[in-house]
């Protein structure tokens, strides 16, 4: 009896969800402009439906077309109801201007349209990446049952137009690959999920105190001694958890072909204890346990926060410059290189006699460790190898907060305070991660529920001085966008999805869609988020259900989950 009752409830819930989805046509993130389809009649896609390129030839587009046809194929096998209105047989894609590979700030706009009874829909865009964004929107529009795939594909039978482009050019997610190891396959899975959210930057926090997982041909010992490892069966060998140059080159291509740029980060001078496992000579303490040798203010244990790269040794800069030059060649398809700069434990420097003597001999005021940090950042920036990479350097906000002198081409990532206002007024470009932390240490609640993430407009933090004049148009352009951050102290690839999604989906709509739409969370937003979360589940993403809000949401189907 319990089983039959459950089945009846399950079937009723499924019917309710499918019926609701079948008559709604939504896209996440919401397009800039879209024809209102409320109450619109529908018509099916033909069982022979296909997607064709009619504009400039693009291998990336051809592969993307095959990918989206494979996604929609199960529904094409379903028989649609008979209707007098002709079915849609073809989506044509017209790239009009360039098929050059995706670069930062490239035009991602597109137009998707069809007439009420036309057999053909048209996707028009100037760039390949716009075609990728438009294909994703089309796939979301036409698939009413992404989880069970029991309903045929359909479109609204009206004259229909989407005109769409992103609000911000930088829309990102950060993955911490240093505190737990993530397989390349899982990172690719994350890129695919980003594509469905129209995110375009994957920030890879590659190194930290806990591990150095990137293989280097110049300094193989960094990963050999700094990466996570385990003994093989029988204990006769060692398995290292590392990323090779080939891994990262292939990952960059995989991402770029989907309209996503990688931002590799090598955090320094702090968060670098793992470097000391192979190169104690470039560290302040280097894991030394002998008190007469080591600095009591630095961590004496390797792989623990508290030690830093030694800012007064030429050997430090020689290794860093050569390494960053080599690492840049692993990421030739991106214009960014993130050098961290956060949470420098200056007590480690204060307790080192050699550092303080050096400061006195080099006209740095006693105790002015911000000036020493500025020296480190400038020395790394001006290294021949780093200069020759021609990368745009990114840093965490502490670099700015500590009055470190930066090149004006730098980008400062705000994360811990309302620093954006000062960054902008100083003339630097910035991205926001403040109030977009998915966790704080092992607190995986982070900065709140998805609806908290949804209303976190970067411009909210861009001019926090109430007496300051409004930002000028040029200052507004310095706000590039933002990214959610997923640190891995207590997260790995088996728990990642449910912590990241759909909260990062909420940030994605804030970064893509119009400011007017994302000021508040409406009942319609809840319904759309519930539907999109199920869409991600149907694509193999273990996204968490949205927080229960029965009291304020009607109908209750937003709480059915994806049954």
């Amino acid at each position: 009896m319990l089983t039959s009752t459950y089945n009846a409830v399950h079937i009723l819930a499924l019917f309710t969800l499918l019926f609701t989805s079948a008559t709604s046509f939504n896209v996440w993130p919401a397009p800039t402009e879209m024809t209102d389809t409320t109450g619109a009649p529908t018509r099916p896609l033909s069982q022979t439906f296909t997607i064709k390129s009619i504009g400039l030839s693009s291998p990336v587009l051809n592969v993307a077309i095959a990918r989206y046809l494979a996604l929609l194929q199960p529904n094409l096998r379903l028989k649609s109801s008979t209707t007098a209105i002709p079915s849609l047989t073809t989506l044509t894609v017209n790239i009009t201007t360039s098929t050059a590979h995706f670069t930062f700030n490239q035009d991602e706009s597109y137009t998707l349209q069809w007439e009420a009874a036309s057999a053909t829909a048209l996707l028009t865009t100037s760039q390949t990446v716009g075609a990728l964004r438009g294909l994703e929107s089309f796939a979301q529009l036409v698939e009413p049952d992404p989880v069970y795939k029991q309903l045929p594909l359909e479109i609204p039978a009206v004259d229909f137009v989407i005109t769409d482009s992103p609000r911000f050019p930088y829309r990102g997610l950060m993955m911490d690959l240093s505190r737990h190891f993530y397989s390349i396959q899982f990172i690719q899975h994350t890129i695919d999920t980003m594509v469905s959210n129209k995110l375009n930057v994957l920030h890879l926090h590659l190194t930290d105190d806990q591990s150095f997982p990137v293989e280097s041909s110049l300094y193989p010992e960094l990963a050999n001694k700094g990466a996570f490892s385990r003994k093989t069966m029988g204990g006769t060998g060692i398995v290292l958890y590392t990323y090779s140059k080939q891994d990262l080159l292939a990952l960059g291509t995989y991402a770029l072909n989907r309209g996503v740029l990688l931002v590799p980060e090598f955090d320094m001078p702090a968060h670098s204890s793992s470097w000391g496992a192979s190169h104690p000579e470039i560290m302040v303490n280097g894991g030394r346990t002998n008190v007469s040798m080591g600095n009591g203010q630095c961590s004496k244990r390797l792989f623990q926060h508290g030690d830093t790269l030694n800012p007064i040794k030429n050997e430090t800069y020689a290794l860093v410059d050569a390494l960053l030059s080599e690492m840049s060649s692993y990421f030739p398809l991106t214009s960014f290189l993130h050098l961290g700069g956060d949470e420098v434990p200056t007590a480690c420097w204060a307790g080192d006699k050699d550092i303080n003597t050096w400061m006195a001999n080099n006209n740095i005021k006693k105790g002015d460790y911000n000036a020493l940090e500025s020296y480190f950042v400038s020395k790394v920036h001006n290294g021949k190898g780093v200069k020759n990479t021609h990368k745009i350097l990114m840093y965490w906000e502490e670099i700015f907060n500590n009055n470190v002198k930066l090149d004006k081409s730098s980008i400062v990532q705000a994360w811990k305070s309302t620093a954006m206002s000062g960054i902008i007024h100083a003339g630097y470009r910035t991205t926001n991660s403040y109030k977009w932390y998915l966790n704080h240490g092992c607190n995986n609640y982070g900065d709140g529920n998805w609806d908290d993430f949804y209303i976190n407009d970067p411009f909210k933090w861009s001019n926090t001085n109430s007496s300051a004049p409004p930002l000028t148009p040029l200052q507004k352009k310095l706000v590039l966008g933002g990214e959610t951050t997923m640190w891995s102290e207590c997260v790995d690839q088996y728990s990642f999805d449910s912590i990241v999604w759909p909260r990062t989906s909420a940030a994605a709509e804030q970064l893509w869609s119009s400011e007017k739409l994302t000021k508040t969370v409406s009942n319609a937003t809840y319904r759309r988020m519930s539907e999109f979360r199920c869409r991600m589940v149907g694509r193999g993403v273990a996204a968490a259900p949205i927080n229960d809000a029965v009291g304020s949401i009607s109908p209750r189907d937003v709480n059915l989950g994806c049954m």
Side-chain angles (χ1 to χ4, degrees):
M1 184 66 181
L2 180 62
T3 301
S4 61
T5 302
Y6 170 80
N7 287 339
V9 172
H10 184 84
I11 292 168
L12 176 62
L14 175 60
F15 175 81
T16 303
L17 180 65
L18 296 184
F19 179 80
T20 303
S21 300
T23 55
S24 64
F25 294 94
N26 296 314
V27 175
W28 193 284
T32 307
E33 294 181 13
M34 185 172 95
T35 301
D36 184 2
T37 59
T38 304
T42 64
R43 62 188 178 111
L45 270 65
S46 167
Q47 287 185 284
T48 60
F49 171 81
T50 192
I51 304 173
K52 295 180 180 179
S53 172
I54 63 170
L56 296 177
S57 177
S58 167
V60 170
L61 174 60
N62 294 338
V63 173
I65 287 173
R67 193 164 62 241
Y68 278 99
L69 284 174
L71 174 68
L72 300 174
Q73 194 66 41
N75 305 69
L76 290 176
R77 291 196 299 268
L78 299 172
K79 290 185 178 181
S80 58
S81 59
T82 58
T83 174
I85 304 175
S87 61
L88 187 74
T89 62
T90 310
L91 170 64
T92 58
V93 184
N94 184 14
I95 300 174
T96 62
T97 304
S98 173
T99 57
H101 71 73
F102 179 50
T103 56
F104 180 66
N105 220 5
Q106 193 176 80
D107 182 9
E108 298 178 68
S109 66
Y110 65 93
T111 301
L112 175 64
Q113 58 190 330
W114 58 77
E115 295 178 355
S118 174
T120 302
L122 176 62
L123 170 59
T124 306
T125 178
S126 68
Q127 309 285 334
T128 302
V129 68
L132 302 181
R133 306 299 181 232
L135 285 171
E136 176 59 36
S137 293
F138 181 83
Q140 291 186 27
L141 276 169
V142 304
E143 188 178 31
D145 179 22
V147 178
Y148 294 95
K149 303 187 184 299
Q150 296 296 305
L151 294 175
L153 302 179
E154 59 183 8
I155 60 171
V158 296
D159 291 346
F160 182 86
V161 179
I162 285 178
T163 304
D164 201 11
S165 60
R167 183 181 175 209
F168 291 101
Y170 188 110
R171 308 179 306 280
L173 165 67
M174 190 210 76
M175 295 183 74
D176 175 6
L177 307 184
S178 60
R179 291 181 173 90
H180 278 97
F181 184 82
Y182 293 78
S183 69
I184 290 292
Q185 292 74 20
F186 186 82
I187 302 172
Q188 291 173 335
H189 158 86
T190 299
I191 291 169
D192 291 337
T193 313
M194 291 175 65
V195 169
S196 67
N197 286 268
K198 296 189 175 72
L199 295 170
N200 67 351
V201 175
L202 178 58
H203 174 176
L204 301 176
H205 184 81
L206 288 165
T207 63
D208 211 293
D209 294 311
Q210 288 82 352
S211 78
F212 194 107
V214 185
E215 297 175 10
S216 163
S217 60
L218 292 179
Y219 304 101
E221 64 277 7
L222 282 168
N224 289 342
K225 294 186 178 181
F228 290 121
S229 63
R230 64 173 174 83
K231 291 183 177 180
T232 58
M233 293 290 290
T236 57
I238 295 292
V239 174
L240 287 173
Y241 291 90
T242 59
Y243 304 105
S244 68
K245 181 176 183 178
Q246 290 70 30
D247 289 335
L248 296 174
L249 285 170
L251 186 67
T253 300
Y254 186 94
L256 196 76
N257 287 346
R258 288 156 178 79
V260 175
L261 295 172
L262 301 184
V263 175
E265 180 189 352
F266 296 87
D267 207 347
M268 61 182 70
H271 290 283
S272 55
S273 178
S274 59
W275 302 47
S278 59
H279 285 277
E281 76 282 0
I282 68 167
M283 308 300 293
V284 176
N285 198 62
R288 295 171 294 184
T289 57
N290 186 323
V291 176
S292 65
M293 293 175 61
N295 175 357
Q297 300 300 316
C298 296
S299 171
K300 295 186 180 69
R301 288 178 54 195
L302 290 171
F303 309 113
Q304 183 180 67
H305 190 64
D307 201 0
T308 80
L309 297 175
N310 195 317
I312 68 170
K313 286 190 171 183
N314 290 329
E315 301 98 302
T316 303
Y317 298 104
L319 187 149
V320 166
D321 192 56
L323 179 70
L324 292 178
S325 177
E326 180 190 15
M327 293 297 105
S328 180
S329 71
Y330 290 25
F331 299 94
L333 301 176
T334 182
S335 55
F336 300 109
L337 177 62
H338 202 305
L339 298 183
D342 60 314
E343 298 179 327
V344 176
T346 54
C348 179
W349 294 353
D352 189 275
K353 292 180 180 179
D354 292 340
I355 286 177
N356 285 279
T357 299
W358 184 93
M359 289 172 64
N361 292 337
N362 286 272
N363 300 315
I364 297 179
K365 188 171 69 174
K366 182 178 180 181
D368 190 356
Y369 299 109
N370 289 345
L372 182 57
E373 185 179 8
S374 186
Y375 172 84
F376 176 88
V377 170
S378 177
K379 187 91 169 170
V380 171
H381 174 270
N382 290 317
K384 183 178 179 180
V386 171
K387 283 286 188 183
N388 287 338
T389 67
H390 304 293
K391 300 291 189 186
I392 298 169
L393 299 184
M394 299 182 67
Y395 302 92
W396 295 104
E397 72 170 61
E398 285 93 329
I399 293 291
F400 176 81
N401 295 343
N402 294 343
N403 298 312
V404 173
K405 294 179 181 179
L406 294 174
D407 187 270
K408 285 296 183 180
S409 66
S410 305
I411 297 173
V412 181
Q413 183 173 357
W415 73 276
K416 63 181 293 186
S417 70
T418 55
M420 280 186 69
S421 181
I423 295 167
I424 294 164
H425 284 90
Y428 293 105
R429 291 180 294 174
T430 183
T431 67
N432 181 61
S433 292
Y434 184 52
K435 298 297 183 181
W436 270 339
Y437 264 48
L438 293 155
N439 65 338
H440 294 291
C442 286
N443 165 14
N444 288 332
Y445 180 72
D447 284 331
N449 287 321
W450 74 267
D451 45 350
D452 300 307
F453 279 59
Y454 187 87
I455 60 173
N456 188 39
D457 187 338
F459 277 115
K460 185 184 296 185
W461 317 114
S462 64
N463 203 13
T464 51
N465 184 351
S466 58
S467 62
L471 296 181
T472 67
L474 286 177
Q475 287 176 323
K476 287 183 178 181
K477 288 184 178 181
L478 296 175
V479 182
L480 301 179
E483 67 181 48
T484 60
T485 59
M486 183 72 269
W487 300 97
S488 293
E489 287 92 341
C490 296
V491 177
D492 63 11
Q493 67 184 47
Y494 301 101
S495 58
F496 182 93
D497 275 1
S498 63
I499 299 170
V500 173
W501 313 107
R503 286 187 295 168
T504 294
S505 303
E509 181 150 294
Q510 174 63 241
L511 291 165
W512 179 280
S513 303
S514 70
E515 180 181 5
K516 181 180 178 181
L517 175 75
T518 56
K519 280 185 178 296
T520 60
V521 177
S522 66
N523 284 5
T525 312
Y526 272 92
R527 294 189 193 96
R528 291 177 51 249
M529 172 59 89
S530 180
E531 177 186 301
F532 183 69
R533 178 258 171 171
C534 290
R535 189 170 301 284
M536 288 192 288
V537 169
R539 296 189 187 185
V541 181
I546 67 173
N547 48 297
D548 184 272
V550 176
S552 61
I553 302 301
S554 178
R556 292 178 65 242
D557 60 9
V558 297
N559 293 293
L560 284 175
C562 304
M563 295 183 290

